[in-house]
Amino acid sequence: GPAEQGWGPYSLGVLAAWKKTRGDGVTVASIDTGYSDHDELADVITTTKPHLNLVEGGADARDRFSTSGLMSNPGHGTLVASVVASRGTINPDATTNSPNSVTGAAPDAKILPIRAIRSVIDIRQSRIPAAIEHAIATDCDVIIMALGSPFPIESVEVALRAAVRRGMVVVCAAGNCVGAVIFPARFAPQGLTTAVAAVDYQYMPWEKTSSGDTVTVSAFGEAVWGARKSRADGANNFVEPAQGTTLASSLTAGVAALWIAANGGRAALKAKADAAGVTVQKLFNDALVATAYRPAGWARGMGAGLVNAG
């Protein structure tokens, strides 16, 4: 993929969106492995909303860099947070400017970390309902979940319905390596989330992306730059290109933050949605589908097209 560290969000059209907003005033709840001390997360993590750790318990949502269990993903939450909201700006040639090496899609938004998993493979999703409930209770605007199970979990569906009723936007990764779209992304046709598949920089499906009729849209998920820290003694300034529907959904969650800020905030959007008898989630999904870039030869099962932030 391209060497420029800002190419991912740049190619989704964020520079045009940033003429209206960079996501100020929007909080994105990241239900993931937590966060870490990393230069890319300076000023990104909210200090005004209470963090939550559902794995070890308590309010310290820092990543413990767990390596036990099935395919643990230490540092995954740090990557997600940086792709959503790492500070900085992007130049017209897709390079980035300080203070950081990479720049998130919504560089003025805040991240609320909720440590709920050690691995993105979360078959039972036993902590996810409580994580969603915390995002609701702390009045977050967006939820990003780059995790999944092959099975629908009723308690997760109930929690998602509560979040959507509050006017929140939920963005979920379609899944990696398994072919079929995973849950909770697969709840998208019920209006409970945005399901995001991954393409490479040439708009072709990333080789391991899940796909299918339940995908809403696609975004870049190969060679997307982000913060990387997988152990406690890892460098606090290391960045590298990564791959997966994690990247595609994180970029889209940042675009959701921009969309909410550009439309006057979640309360204003909820008033519009209520007046129309729909949800904010539906308004967002409809906007994504209506504006998606669909190049010639767009692959089946990859949704309406590529997210178009501009």
Side-chain angles (χ1 to χ4, degrees):
E4 294 81 6
Q5 293 177 336
W7 82 266
Y10 172 89
S11 298
L12 292 184
V14 298
L15 295 191
W18 289 354
K19 293 177 181 179
K20 292 184 177 181
T21 178
R22 287 162 51 96
D24 184 45
V26 175
T27 301
V28 179
S30 175
I31 299 176
D32 212 286
T33 65
Y35 74 104
S36 63
D37 294 323
H38 196 288
D39 294 351
E40 294 296 330
L41 301 191
D43 192 42
V44 170
I45 305 301
T46 181
T47 58
T48 60
K49 296 180 184 292
H51 302 179
L52 180 64
N53 183 337
L54 292 165
V55 179
E56 291 84 13
D60 183 358
R62 292 177 186 272
D63 200 316
R64 303 306 197 265
F65 304 106
S66 307
T67 56
S68 60
L70 177 65
M71 296 185 68
S72 296
N73 302 106
H76 190 265
T78 294
L79 175 63
V80 168
S82 71
V83 174
V84 174
S86 186
R87 274 32 184 169
T89 191
I90 300 174
N91 301 313
D93 62 356
T95 59
T96 56
N97 281 340
S98 58
N100 299 321
S101 297
V102 299
T103 301
D108 285 351
K110 291 285 190 179
I111 298 290
L112 173 67
I114 302 174
R115 177 166 162 79
I117 57 171
R118 295 186 182 94
S119 169
V120 297
I121 301 173
D122 189 13
I123 303 298
R124 296 174 57 208
Q125 299 187 1
S126 57
R127 303 184 189 97
I128 303 306
I132 296 171
E133 289 164 6
H134 185 70
I136 296 170
T138 53
D139 202 32
C140 291
D141 304 294
V142 179
I143 295 174
I144 170 66
M145 287 189 284
L147 55 88
S149 167
F151 309 112
I153 309 298
E154 184 178 2
S155 56
V156 173
E157 181 181 354
V158 170
L160 287 172
R161 290 189 182 281
V164 169
R165 283 197 300 270
R166 288 287 295 271
M168 301 173 74
V169 172
V170 184
V171 179
C172 296
N176 304 339
C177 304
V178 295
V181 178
I182 56 176
F183 291 94
R186 202 163 172 174
F187 286 125
Q190 298 180 40
L192 301 182
T193 183
T194 304
V196 187
V199 296
D200 64 21
Y201 75 102
Q202 295 177 317
Y203 312 118
M204 299 298 292
W206 174 57
E207 61 183 356
K208 296 179 181 179
T209 187
S210 291
S211 61
D213 293 342
T214 55
V215 170
T216 312
V217 286
S218 292
F220 297 115
E222 186 175 50
V224 175
W225 288 80
R228 298 294 282 179
K229 187 173 182 180
S230 58
R231 62 182 193 271
D233 61 352
N236 286 345
N237 63 351
F238 183 61
V239 300
E240 67 177 356
Q243 60 185 359
T245 54
T246 287
L247 290 309
S249 56
S250 298
L251 287 168
T252 305
V255 173
L258 298 177
W259 178 78
I260 290 170
N263 285 281
R266 182 163 55 91
L269 279 164
K270 189 173 187 307
K272 285 184 178 182
D274 289 347
V278 297
T279 64
V280 176
Q281 182 77 55
K282 177 170 173 51
L283 292 181
F284 180 61
N285 284 358
D286 286 352
L288 283 177
V289 169
T291 61
Y293 171 60
R294 192 179 182 97
W298 184 253
R300 182 178 179 181
M302 300 297 288
L306 185 75
V307 172
N308 182 350

